[in-house]
Amino acid sequence: HHPQKRVAKVKDVLADQKRGVILGLLLSSEGLWQWDKFVVLQDVKLVRGKGVFLSNSKILKKLGVRRQQLLAKPWLGVPVQNEAGKDFGTLADFIWEYPSGRILGIAVSGGLWQDLQQGFRYLSWQTIAPPPVEQGAAGQQFLIQGEAVLQEYLPEKVW
């Protein structure tokens, strides 16, 4: 049995938007010789805040070009609209559960002023048609299917 050791912090997540799951984490090391590496979510022993604990640092992998398409951060700020073109705001974050990686929904920003007054709003993942990741985030949008309702984003209720 090897003790757990903190090796990095979470820089981004890799999201399979078609399947609605987080595949892994992009980690950034701490200290003088910084690196970014990928770890499959099932290999993570503990996530606490932005700290990630692994039992073995040998499970870290290079990100690679195919995995770069799955990074979540480029999608932050992408418009969220319904099928009629009504603007609901922009993607602020993916909401997912640990350790399964299942994406539960998204946090939607209504802009700085609205966010300061009301906070983020939440949409269930089942109500969203995500865009194809292969084309990149530029010019894309998340479509709300049907009559989905934006709910107040309360992390304690989502988690």
Side-chain angles (χ1 to χ4, degrees), residues 4 25 41 43-49 51-55 98:
Q4 293 177 350
L25 307 175
L41 191 59
D43 290 338
V44 173
K45 296 297 176 193
L46 178 66
V47 175
R48 183 156 298 156
V52 174
F53 294 84
L54 311 172
S55 60
Y98 176 80

Side-chain angles (χ1 to χ4, degrees), residues 20-89:
V21 295
I22 300 298
L23 300 175
L25 307 175
L26 180 63
L27 305 179
S28 180
S29 69
E30 300 172 326
L32 186 60
W33 307 106
Q34 289 194 343
W35 47 256
D36 291 345
K37 298 271 178 110
F38 167 75
V39 63
V40 176
L41 191 59
Q42 287 78 12
D43 290 338
V44 173
K45 296 297 176 193
L46 178 66
V47 175
R48 183 156 298 156
K50 289 195 173 196
V52 174
F53 294 84
L54 311 172
S55 60
N56 182 347
S57 63
K58 292 182 177 97
I59 58 178
L60 295 169
K61 302 171 173 88
K62 290 186 178 181
L63 187 59
V65 177
R66 283 189 25 231
R67 290 186 185 125
Q68 283 180 358
Q69 291 182 327
L70 300 174
L71 289 173
K73 276 192 181 171
W75 294 92
L76 303 183
V78 168
V80 178
Q81 301 175 338
N82 68 9
E83 293 164 327
K86 181 182 177 202
D87 182 32
F88 282 79

